[in-house]
Amino acid sequence: MEPMTGYALREAIRDVLGHFWSESFGQIYPTLAELERQGLVKRRGSPRPGSSTFAVTASGRARLKELLAQPIRPVPPRNGLMLRLFFGRHLGPEACRSLVLEARADAERRLVQYEAIRKELELEADHTEDRPFWLLTVSAGEHTARAAIAWADETLAALDEIGASTDAPEERRRR
Amino acid sequence: MEPMTGYALREAIRDVLGHFWSESFGQIYPTLAELERQGLVKRRGSPRPGSSTFAVTASGRARLKELLAQPIRPVPPRNGLMLRLFFGRHLGPEACRSLVLEARADAERRLVQYEAIRKELELEADHTEDRPFWLLTVSAGEHTARAAIAWADETLAALDEIGASTDAPEERRRR
DNA sequence: GGGCACATGTAAGCTGTTACATGATTAA
DNA sequence: TTAATCATGTAACAGCTTACATGTGCCC
């Protein structure tokens, strides 16, 4: 994107790629040092905190292209919400309800964030070449979030059904 | 679900929870041994390969409820497809296209699988109490997959736009 | 002068995968 | 009898996070 300090890089990853990527300081700084050793990035300024930025070199950009062309490494799925719902009989319909409500709220929050990112991208004058690609990732986030909301609404209705049929008879009569 | 060998457990995780969870043998066998030590599962038959199954005990079921009630541990996002699209300018619109097409095909394949799981669940006579919960997770998979397909179609159109405007003039004239 | 945000780095350690070793059972 | 599948287990190690240590510059 542009020359940055390691700290700024982390903030950019969190704020811009946050919905599909993350890196910790423990990854960033050693990697930056290694990339510098390989001549893929160049440090400007002394290593004193707050006074050096890293810029990608020409060979760094070439290496980036190489890496982007490599096959996508699949990450083993691990969705805690789905696992809890799968064992929903043991957890109880009420607890499931709160989990789904929470997931719904998360998705709504994400939708708002995507809106904000869209706005920010439209205002920015730089990176006009990159913008259309960046918007693709925002759009993916929006589709996913909207799907999550639709699923949550369906699921809340289904959980009500389950709750009603599971209730002890006197529970049901009391309504 | 029912008493199983470690091997069968892994197959069940892969085939039933596969779209939202995974465990490797390197996790399963040591964990099973530890659970047995704690009295949370009971081994029936000798430890000889092929002749022992593990069954959850009463205290094991209690422990399961405890664990299910714990807060969901968030997994740091790491979506290789999105990362590649974000750097799409460097990868090129054509390569992006194939990645998105592949993602679309994956989502279609998943939809078919969910259909199969739905069928299988409906045929099964056991686990009638669990079924409604299990179907919630299938439904989530379907929503996600359909969202992925819709996004992919939108994205393919957008990539055509990008490709057209990025083409060198003589390229465009030749069409 | 005190607190906060910016900034860099390291070390310990957790989590989980991959690869390997080994053996039983079953079907061709 | 040989290959495939079922089955159990271990060891090495990759990958990454967390916590800590340290320091700078700025603003109130």
Side-chain angles (χ1 to χ4, degrees), chain B residues 43-93:
Chain B
R43 177 182 231 135
R44 304 179 176 283
S46 78
R48 214 178 72 253
S51 61
S52 64
T53 59
F54 297 87
V56 186
T57 63
S59 59
R61 250 184 302 278
R63 178 73 180 129
L64 172 63
K65 285 183 195 190
E66 256 177 60
L67 289 170
L68 289 173
Q70 284 186 7
I72 296 175
R73 207 206 306 173
V75 283
R78 189 147 289 206
N79 185 325
L81 173 60
M82 291 303 138
L83 191 69
R84 280 160 183 79
L85 289 180
F86 186 85
F87 292 112
R89 180 163 66 87
H90 304 278
L91 188 56

Tab-separated table of all heavy atoms in Angstrom, chain B residues 43-93:
chain	number	residue	atom	x	y	z
B	43	ARG	N	-13.611	-46.936	28.174
B	43	ARG	CA	-13.225	-47.799	27.062
B	43	ARG	C	-13.816	-49.181	27.258
B	43	ARG	O	-13.709	-49.770	28.334
B	43	ARG	CB	-11.699	-47.876	27.035
B	43	ARG	CG	-11.107	-48.782	26.008
B	43	ARG	CD	-9.584	-48.776	26.163
B	43	ARG	NE	-8.933	-48.519	24.909
B	43	ARG	CZ	-7.936	-47.679	24.745
B	43	ARG	NH1	-7.477	-46.988	25.768
B	43	ARG	NH2	-7.384	-47.509	23.573
B	44	ARG	N	-14.450	-49.705	26.224
B	44	ARG	CA	-14.991	-51.055	26.281
B	44	ARG	C	-14.189	-51.934	25.334
B	44	ARG	O	-14.048	-51.599	24.168
B	44	ARG	CB	-16.462	-51.066	25.853
B	44	ARG	CG	-17.286	-50.134	26.675
B	44	ARG	CD	-18.746	-50.088	26.291
B	44	ARG	NE	-19.432	-49.225	27.242
B	44	ARG	CZ	-19.754	-49.605	28.496
B	44	ARG	NH1	-19.499	-50.830	28.908
B	44	ARG	NH2	-20.346	-48.751	29.316
B	45	GLY	N	-13.679	-53.040	25.871
B	45	GLY	CA	-12.816	-53.908	25.082
B	45	GLY	C	-11.356	-53.565	25.325
B	45	GLY	O	-11.033	-52.572	25.972
B	46	SER	N	-10.469	-54.433	24.838
B	46	SER	CA	-9.039	-54.240	25.057
B	46	SER	C	-8.513	-53.131	24.148
B	46	SER	O	-9.155	-52.781	23.163
B	46	SER	CB	-8.301	-55.540	24.757
B	46	SER	OG	-8.163	-55.699	23.360
B	47	PRO	N	-7.349	-52.569	24.503
B	47	PRO	CA	-6.768	-51.490	23.670
B	47	PRO	C	-6.254	-51.999	22.330
B	47	PRO	O	-5.705	-51.226	21.561
B	47	PRO	CB	-5.599	-50.978	24.537
B	47	PRO	CG	-5.740	-51.630	25.875
B	47	PRO	CD	-6.559	-52.865	25.678
B	48	ARG	N	-6.449	-53.324	22.076
B	48	ARG	CA	-5.975	-53.858	20.802
B	48	ARG	C	-6.726	-53.165	19.657
B	48	ARG	O	-7.954	-52.987	19.747
B	48	ARG	CB	-6.219	-55.372	20.753
B	48	ARG	CG	-5.153	-56.142	19.990
B	48	ARG	CD	-5.404	-57.654	19.990
B	48	ARG	NE	-6.510	-58.029	19.140
B	48	ARG	CZ	-7.707	-58.431	19.613
B	48	ARG	NH1	-7.921	-58.527	20.915
B	48	ARG	NH2	-8.656	-58.742	18.761
B	49	PRO	N	-6.021	-52.783	18.603
B	49	PRO	CA	-6.677	-52.105	17.481
B	49	PRO	C	-7.913	-52.847	17.000
B	49	PRO	O	-7.884	-54.061	16.829
B	49	PRO	CB	-5.606	-52.082	16.392
B	49	PRO	CG	-4.319	-52.083	17.134
B	49	PRO	CD	-4.571	-52.883	18.375
B	50	GLY	N	-8.993	-52.113	16.821
B	50	GLY	CA	-10.198	-52.696	16.234
B	50	GLY	C	-11.146	-53.352	17.197
B	50	GLY	O	-12.157	-53.885	16.780
B	51	SER	N	-10.799	-53.316	18.480
B	51	SER	CA	-11.684	-54.048	19.381
B	51	SER	C	-12.139	-53.205	20.569
B	51	SER	O	-12.681	-53.737	21.521
B	51	SER	CB	-10.978	-55.305	19.894
B	51	SER	OG	-9.819	-54.937	20.604
B	52	SER	N	-11.912	-51.910	20.547
B	52	SER	CA	-12.372	-51.120	21.676
B	52	SER	C	-13.130	-49.884	21.188
B	52	SER	O	-12.744	-49.241	20.217
B	52	SER	CB	-11.190	-50.687	22.541
B	52	SER	OG	-10.334	-49.833	21.831
B	53	THR	N	-14.221	-49.600	21.883
B	53	THR	CA	-14.957	-48.367	21.594
B	53	THR	C	-14.968	-47.512	22.850
B	53	THR	O	-14.819	-48.023	23.958
B	53	THR	CB	-16.406	-48.664	21.180
B	53	THR	OG1	-17.052	-49.365	22.240
B	53	THR	CG2	-16.462	-49.488	19.903
B	54	PHE	N	-15.133	-46.237	22.663
B	54	PHE	CA	-15.185	-45.313	23.787
B	54	PHE	C	-16.611	-44.806	23.934
B	54	PHE	O	-17.236	-44.402	22.956
B	54	PHE	CB	-14.246	-44.135	23.551
B	54	PHE	CG	-12.800	-44.534	23.467
B	54	PHE	CD1	-12.239	-44.935	22.260
B	54	PHE	CD2	-11.996	-44.505	24.603
B	54	PHE	CE1	-10.908	-45.300	22.188
B	54	PHE	CE2	-10.669	-44.867	24.533
B	54	PHE	CZ	-10.111	-45.279	23.319
B	55	ALA	N	-17.114	-44.808	25.155
B	55	ALA	CA	-18.455	-44.293	25.430
B	55	ALA	C	-18.351	-43.179	26.463
B	55	ALA	O	-17.551	-43.264	27.408
B	55	ALA	CB	-19.345	-45.407	25.960
B	56	VAL	N	-19.117	-42.123	26.284
B	56	VAL	CA	-19.133	-41.021	27.249
B	56	VAL	C	-19.785	-41.508	28.534
B	56	VAL	O	-20.791	-42.215	28.500
B	56	VAL	CB	-19.930	-39.825	26.689
B	56	VAL	CG1	-19.825	-38.642	27.637
B	56	VAL	CG2	-19.448	-39.455	25.309
B	57	THR	N	-19.216	-41.136	29.686
B	57	THR	CA	-19.813	-41.487	30.978
B	57	THR	C	-20.744	-40.360	31.422
B	57	THR	O	-20.840	-39.322	30.757
B	57	THR	CB	-18.712	-41.652	32.039
B	57	THR	OG1	-18.048	-40.400	32.202
B	57	THR	CG2	-17.707	-42.705	31.622
B	58	ALA	N	-21.410	-40.576	32.555
B	58	ALA	CA	-22.303	-39.536	33.086
B	58	ALA	C	-21.510	-38.260	33.376
B	58	ALA	O	-21.927	-37.156	33.007
B	58	ALA	CB	-22.988	-40.037	34.353
B	59	SER	N	-20.349	-38.413	34.015
B	59	SER	CA	-19.562	-37.216	34.338
B	59	SER	C	-18.999	-36.590	33.063
B	59	SER	O	-18.789	-35.381	33.001
B	59	SER	CB	-18.443	-37.543	35.326
B	59	SER	OG	-17.588	-38.532	34.784
B	60	GLY	N	-18.796	-37.439	32.052
B	60	GLY	CA	-18.358	-36.916	30.758
B	60	GLY	C	-19.414	-36.012	30.152
B	60	GLY	O	-19.102	-34.949	29.601
B	61	ARG	N	-20.671	-36.429	30.277
B	61	ARG	CA	-21.766	-35.608	29.732
B	61	ARG	C	-21.872	-34.287	30.505
B	61	ARG	O	-22.104	-33.226	29.916
B	61	ARG	CB	-23.081	-36.378	29.785
B	61	ARG	CG	-23.598	-36.782	28.395
B	61	ARG	CD	-24.947	-37.467	28.481
B	61	ARG	NE	-24.880	-38.670	29.329
B	61	ARG	CZ	-24.441	-39.852	28.885
B	61	ARG	NH1	-24.078	-40.000	27.618
B	61	ARG	NH2	-24.384	-40.878	29.694
B	62	ALA	N	-21.655	-34.378	31.814
B	62	ALA	CA	-21.696	-33.162	32.631
B	62	ALA	C	-20.592	-32.195	32.199
B	62	ALA	O	-20.810	-30.991	32.047
B	62	ALA	CB	-21.541	-33.520	34.109
B	63	ARG	N	-19.408	-32.768	31.970
B	63	ARG	CA	-18.262	-31.942	31.543
B	63	ARG	C	-18.536	-31.314	30.188
B	63	ARG	O	-18.185	-30.159	29.931
B	63	ARG	CB	-17.005	-32.811	31.484
B	63	ARG	CG	-15.762	-32.099	31.023
B	63	ARG	CD	-15.228	-31.163	32.085
B	63	ARG	NE	-14.013	-30.477	31.629
B	63	ARG	CZ	-13.846	-29.168	31.679
B	63	ARG	NH1	-14.804	-28.387	32.142
B	63	ARG	NH2	-12.713	-28.618	31.267
B	64	LEU	N	-19.182	-32.074	29.298
B	64	LEU	CA	-19.540	-31.542	27.978
B	64	LEU	C	-20.407	-30.303	28.126
B	64	LEU	O	-20.163	-29.277	27.490
B	64	LEU	CB	-20.280	-32.606	27.158
B	64	LEU	CG	-20.888	-32.134	25.829
B	64	LEU	CD1	-19.815	-31.654	24.873
B	64	LEU	CD2	-21.716	-33.230	25.181
B	65	LYS	N	-21.405	-30.383	29.003
B	65	LYS	CA	-22.290	-29.225	29.207
B	65	LYS	C	-21.513	-28.017	29.696
B	65	LYS	O	-21.726	-26.892	29.246
B	65	LYS	CB	-23.400	-29.592	30.201
B	65	LYS	CG	-24.451	-30.478	29.558
B	65	LYS	CD	-25.610	-30.824	30.477
B	65	LYS	CE	-26.377	-31.990	29.848
B	65	LYS	NZ	-27.646	-32.293	30.505
B	66	GLU	N	-20.589	-28.281	30.628
B	66	GLU	CA	-19.731	-27.196	31.125
B	66	GLU	C	-18.984	-26.524	29.978
B	66	GLU	O	-18.948	-25.301	29.862
B	66	GLU	CB	-18.685	-27.771	32.073
B	66	GLU	CG	-18.918	-27.554	33.554
B	66	GLU	CD	-17.813	-28.246	34.344
B	66	GLU	OE1	-16.610	-27.909	34.173
B	66	GLU	OE2	-18.161	-29.157	35.110
B	67	LEU	N	-18.385	-27.377	29.153
B	67	LEU	CA	-17.539	-26.847	28.070
B	67	LEU	C	-18.361	-26.087	27.047
B	67	LEU	O	-17.929	-25.054	26.526
B	67	LEU	CB	-16.786	-28.005	27.391
B	67	LEU	CG	-15.687	-28.642	28.234
B	67	LEU	CD1	-15.185	-29.917	27.566
B	67	LEU	CD2	-14.536	-27.667	28.436
B	68	LEU	N	-19.572	-26.605	26.759
B	68	LEU	CA	-20.424	-25.940	25.765
B	68	LEU	C	-20.852	-24.558	26.249
B	68	LEU	O	-21.084	-23.655	25.434
B	68	LEU	CB	-21.670	-26.795	25.494
B	68	LEU	CG	-21.440	-28.087	24.727
B	68	LEU	CD1	-22.724	-28.898	24.690
B	68	LEU	CD2	-20.939	-27.801	23.327
B	69	ALA	N	-20.953	-24.408	27.592
B	69	ALA	CA	-21.415	-23.132	28.146
B	69	ALA	C	-20.300	-22.092	28.184
B	69	ALA	O	-20.543	-20.921	28.455
B	69	ALA	CB	-21.975	-23.356	29.546
B	70	GLN	N	-19.062	-22.524	27.939
B	70	GLN	CA	-17.952	-21.560	27.968
B	70	GLN	C	-17.992	-20.643	26.763
B	70	GLN	O	-18.533	-20.993	25.720
B	70	GLN	CB	-16.619	-22.311	28.021
B	70	GLN	CG	-16.348	-22.878	29.406
B	70	GLN	CD	-14.986	-23.506	29.520
B	70	GLN	OE1	-14.171	-23.418	28.599
B	70	GLN	NE2	-14.743	-24.157	30.637
B	71	PRO	N	-17.408	-19.437	26.943
B	71	PRO	CA	-17.399	-18.481	25.826
B	71	PRO	C	-16.702	-19.046	24.599
B	71	PRO	O	-15.747	-19.813	24.713
B	71	PRO	CB	-16.629	-17.277	26.384
B	71	PRO	CG	-15.946	-17.773	27.621
B	71	PRO	CD	-16.768	-18.903	28.141
B	72	ILE	N	-17.193	-18.679	23.448
B	72	ILE	CA	-16.627	-19.138	22.186
B	72	ILE	C	-15.273	-18.474	21.974
B	72	ILE	O	-15.161	-17.253	22.047
B	72	ILE	CB	-17.568	-18.782	21.024
B	72	ILE	CG1	-18.897	-19.528	21.185
B	72	ILE	CG2	-16.918	-19.107	19.678
B	72	ILE	CD1	-19.937	-19.150	20.166
B	73	ARG	N	-14.253	-19.281	21.752
B	73	ARG	CA	-12.930	-18.720	21.516
B	73	ARG	C	-12.834	-18.263	20.050
B	73	ARG	O	-12.959	-19.083	19.143
B	73	ARG	CB	-11.851	-19.772	21.796
B	73	ARG	CG	-10.520	-19.140	22.204
B	73	ARG	CD	-9.353	-20.026	21.880
B	73	ARG	NE	-9.511	-21.376	22.450
B	73	ARG	CZ	-8.679	-22.362	22.193
B	73	ARG	NH1	-7.642	-22.180	21.381
B	73	ARG	NH2	-8.888	-23.554	22.697
B	74	PRO	N	-12.640	-16.976	19.838
B	74	PRO	CA	-12.595	-16.490	18.452
B	74	PRO	C	-11.340	-16.978	17.736
B	74	PRO	O	-10.253	-17.006	18.309
B	74	PRO	CB	-12.567	-14.972	18.610
B	74	PRO	CG	-12.027	-14.710	19.976
B	74	PRO	CD	-12.385	-15.913	20.815
B	75	VAL	N	-11.492	-17.384	16.492
B	75	VAL	CA	-10.320	-17.776	15.706
B	75	VAL	C	-9.898	-16.598	14.822
B	75	VAL	O	-10.740	-16.004	14.165
B	75	VAL	CB	-10.609	-19.005	14.812
B	75	VAL	CG1	-10.612	-20.271	15.616
B	75	VAL	CG2	-11.912	-18.833	14.059
B	76	PRO	N	-8.613	-16.271	14.847
B	76	PRO	CA	-8.139	-15.173	13.990
B	76	PRO	C	-8.433	-15.504	12.540
B	76	PRO	O	-8.130	-16.603	12.082
B	76	PRO	CB	-6.640	-15.114	14.274
B	76	PRO	CG	-6.288	-16.389	14.964
B	76	PRO	CD	-7.526	-16.887	15.603
B	77	PRO	N	-9.038	-14.556	11.810
B	77	PRO	CA	-9.405	-14.820	10.418
B	77	PRO	C	-8.172	-14.989	9.543
B	77	PRO	O	-7.127	-14.401	9.801
B	77	PRO	CB	-10.179	-13.565	10.027
B	77	PRO	CG	-9.656	-12.484	10.910
B	77	PRO	CD	-9.321	-13.168	12.203
B	78	ARG	N	-8.287	-15.822	8.515
B	78	ARG	CA	-7.164	-16.044	7.591
B	78	ARG	C	-7.722	-16.635	6.315
B	78	ARG	O	-7.739	-17.826	6.111
B	78	ARG	CB	-6.139	-16.961	8.251
B	78	ARG	CG	-4.843	-17.081	7.467
B	78	ARG	CD	-3.637	-17.262	8.359
B	78	ARG	NE	-3.293	-16.068	9.098
B	78	ARG	CZ	-2.063	-15.793	9.529
B	78	ARG	NH1	-1.084	-16.620	9.309
B	78	ARG	NH2	-1.834	-14.676	10.189
B	79	ASN	N	-8.212	-15.730	5.446
B	79	ASN	CA	-8.884	-16.151	4.219
B	79	ASN	C	-7.993	-15.883	3.008
B	79	ASN	O	-7.870	-14.753	2.537
B	79	ASN	CB	-10.207	-15.390	4.105
B	79	ASN	CG	-11.032	-15.845	2.939
B	79	ASN	OD1	-10.493	-16.195	1.896
B	79	ASN	ND2	-12.334	-15.856	3.098
B	80	GLY	N	-7.388	-16.946	2.518
B	80	GLY	CA	-6.417	-16.825	1.435
B	80	GLY	C	-6.991	-16.256	0.152
B	80	GLY	O	-6.313	-15.526	-0.569
B	81	LEU	N	-8.230	-16.579	-0.134
B	81	LEU	CA	-8.868	-16.050	-1.347
B	81	LEU	C	-8.997	-14.539	-1.276
B	81	LEU	O	-8.624	-13.827	-2.219
B	81	LEU	CB	-10.247	-16.695	-1.525
B	81	LEU	CG	-11.112	-16.125	-2.647
B	81	LEU	CD1	-10.429	-16.265	-3.996
B	81	LEU	CD2	-12.482	-16.785	-2.653
B	82	MET	N	-9.496	-14.047	-0.146
B	82	MET	CA	-9.666	-12.599	0.022
B	82	MET	C	-8.325	-11.874	-0.039
B	82	MET	O	-8.210	-10.801	-0.622
B	82	MET	CB	-10.347	-12.288	1.361
B	82	MET	CG	-11.785	-12.704	1.426
B	82	MET	SD	-12.749	-11.946	0.111
B	82	MET	CE	-13.762	-13.325	-0.388
B	83	LEU	N	-7.311	-12.483	0.557
B	83	LEU	CA	-5.986	-11.855	0.532
B	83	LEU	C	-5.515	-11.678	-0.903
B	83	LEU	O	-4.997	-10.631	-1.290
B	83	LEU	CB	-4.989	-12.707	1.310
B	83	LEU	CG	-3.645	-12.027	1.563
B	83	LEU	CD1	-3.804	-10.877	2.532
B	83	LEU	CD2	-2.605	-13.005	2.077
B	84	ARG	N	-5.728	-12.718	-1.709
B	84	ARG	CA	-5.286	-12.655	-3.102
B	84	ARG	C	-6.069	-11.618	-3.890
B	84	ARG	O	-5.534	-10.915	-4.745
B	84	ARG	CB	-5.377	-14.040	-3.742
B	84	ARG	CG	-4.177	-14.912	-3.358
B	84	ARG	CD	-4.450	-16.378	-3.549
B	84	ARG	NE	-3.315	-17.190	-3.121
B	84	ARG	CZ	-3.029	-17.494	-1.860
B	84	ARG	NH1	-3.781	-17.042	-0.889
B	84	ARG	NH2	-1.984	-18.244	-1.574
B	85	LEU	N	-7.369	-11.525	-3.611
B	85	LEU	CA	-8.174	-10.518	-4.315
B	85	LEU	C	-7.775	-9.110	-3.894
B	85	LEU	O	-7.767	-8.187	-4.708
B	85	LEU	CB	-9.663	-10.740	-4.038
B	85	LEU	CG	-10.263	-11.965	-4.695
B	85	LEU	CD1	-11.733	-12.070	-4.344
B	85	LEU	CD2	-10.075	-11.916	-6.204
B	86	PHE	N	-7.440	-8.964	-2.601
B	86	PHE	CA	-7.028	-7.649	-2.113
B	86	PHE	C	-5.808	-7.158	-2.892
B	86	PHE	O	-5.694	-5.981	-3.224
B	86	PHE	CB	-6.711	-7.724	-0.621
B	86	PHE	CG	-6.417	-6.390	-0.012
B	86	PHE	CD1	-7.451	-5.572	0.430
B	86	PHE	CD2	-5.113	-5.936	0.112
B	86	PHE	CE1	-7.194	-4.326	0.987
B	86	PHE	CE2	-4.841	-4.691	0.669
B	86	PHE	CZ	-5.882	-3.891	1.102
B	87	PHE	N	-4.893	-8.074	-3.193
B	87	PHE	CA	-3.719	-7.738	-3.996
B	87	PHE	C	-3.961	-8.072	-5.466
B	87	PHE	O	-3.021	-8.345	-6.208
B	87	PHE	CB	-2.488	-8.476	-3.464
B	87	PHE	CG	-2.053	-8.004	-2.112
B	87	PHE	CD1	-2.157	-8.811	-0.998
B	87	PHE	CD2	-1.533	-6.722	-1.950
B	87	PHE	CE1	-1.757	-8.370	0.251
B	87	PHE	CE2	-1.126	-6.263	-0.707
B	87	PHE	CZ	-1.245	-7.088	0.400
B	88	GLY	N	-5.213	-8.050	-5.863
B	88	GLY	CA	-5.600	-8.440	-7.214
B	88	GLY	C	-4.895	-7.657	-8.311
B	88	GLY	O	-4.643	-8.185	-9.387
B	89	ARG	N	-4.574	-6.406	-8.038
B	89	ARG	CA	-3.857	-5.602	-9.030
B	89	ARG	C	-2.531	-6.267	-9.416
B	89	ARG	O	-2.131	-6.245	-10.573
B	89	ARG	CB	-3.591	-4.203	-8.477
B	89	ARG	CG	-2.855	-3.292	-9.421
B	89	ARG	CD	-2.983	-1.848	-9.023
B	89	ARG	NE	-2.342	-1.548	-7.770
B	89	ARG	CZ	-1.038	-1.213	-7.648
B	89	ARG	NH1	-0.269	-1.134	-8.716
B	89	ARG	NH2	-0.509	-0.955	-6.480
B	90	HIS	N	-1.882	-6.851	-8.420
B	90	HIS	CA	-0.587	-7.485	-8.674
B	90	HIS	C	-0.748	-8.880	-9.269
B	90	HIS	O	0.116	-9.367	-9.982
B	90	HIS	CB	0.218	-7.573	-7.373
B	90	HIS	CG	0.398	-6.256	-6.715
B	90	HIS	ND1	1.379	-5.366	-7.102
B	90	HIS	CD2	-0.285	-5.658	-5.711
B	90	HIS	CE1	1.299	-4.279	-6.354
B	90	HIS	NE2	0.300	-4.422	-5.501
B	91	LEU	N	-1.862	-9.520	-8.938
B	91	LEU	CA	-2.101	-10.887	-9.409
B	91	LEU	C	-2.684	-10.866	-10.821
B	91	LEU	O	-2.445	-11.779	-11.613
B	91	LEU	CB	-3.059	-11.605	-8.444
B	91	LEU	CG	-3.300	-13.091	-8.640
B	91	LEU	CD1	-1.994	-13.855	-8.621
B	91	LEU	CD2	-4.228	-13.614	-7.555
B	92	GLY	N	-3.430	-9.828	-11.133
B	92	GLY	CA	-4.055	-9.716	-12.457
B	92	GLY	C	-5.481	-10.189	-12.463
B	92	GLY	O	-5.805	-11.172	-11.780
B	93	PRO	N	-6.351	-9.535	-13.251
B	93	PRO	CA	-7.778	-9.864	-13.268
B	93	PRO	C	-8.055	-11.299	-13.711
B	93	PRO	O	-8.968	-11.948	-13.195
B	93	PRO	CB	-8.368	-8.875	-14.285
B	93	PRO	CG	-7.366	-7.782	-14.403
B	93	PRO	CD	-6.040	-8.385	-14.135
